[in-house]
Amino acid sequence: MAQSGIHAFTGIILSKFLKYEKGLIPSLIFGLLLPDIDIIFVAMGLITFKSTFLMHSVFFATIIYLLFLSLHEITSNKKFEIIGKGISIGILIHITIDILFWFKAVYLFWPFET
């Protein structure tokens, strides 16, 4: 959570280099911030700290992308595919930043132990 500003700033910088698709940039920035939302649930006591590893894993990004891809197939609306792509890319970039700059372990393939 302490690095949320870095994650959001990274999304703003990346938006300068990405091809414009309506809805991609906001969903990318949301994806960059999404994995740290789990801290709120830990503070409220709704989940344990160990289960927060899910949101910082490649599987979470894949699940989000497949969910939005399914919505795209059901509704035939391209915006769901773009939003899912933006959120998933944002999550993967968030994980990369945490691996490089966070002093605690990041379990990339959680729940599999490495």
Side-chain angles (χ1 to χ4, degrees):
M1 189 64 113
Q3 297 174 337
S4 293
I6 293 171
H7 294 303
F9 183 70
T10 303
I12 293 169
I13 296 298
L14 286 175
S15 69
K16 308 272 187 231
F17 300 105
L18 294 175
K19 183 181 117 181
Y20 180 76
E21 288 182 283
K22 187 175 182 181
L24 180 66
I25 304 305
S27 61
L28 176 83
I29 294 172
F30 180 75
L32 278 161
L33 298 174
L34 182 64
D36 283 341
I37 291 176
D38 58 2
I39 299 299
I40 295 169
F41 298 120
V42 170
M44 292 171 34
L46 299 175
I47 59 174
T48 64
F49 183 74
K50 182 104 175 154
S51 62
T52 63
F53 296 137
L54 168 67
M55 296 186 83
H56 284 83
S57 71
V58 173
F59 297 119
F60 182 65
T62 304
I63 289 168
I64 293 292
Y65 184 67
L66 290 175
L67 175 75
F68 277 94
L69 202 58
S70 298
L71 287 173
H72 164 66
E73 289 294 321
I74 291 169
T75 63
S76 298
N77 193 342
K78 179 106 171 118
K79 75 176 180 178
F80 287 117
E81 181 182 3
I82 294 169
I83 291 170
K85 180 172 44 172
I87 292 173
S88 298
I89 291 170
I91 291 169
L92 293 174
I93 294 170
H94 177 105
I95 292 168
T96 305
I97 291 171
D98 280 356
I99 288 171
L100 294 174
F101 298 113
W102 194 243
F103 298 116
K104 294 182 182 178
V106 176
Y107 298 97
L108 195 59
F109 298 108
W110 188 87
F112 300 112
E113 299 286 330
T114 55

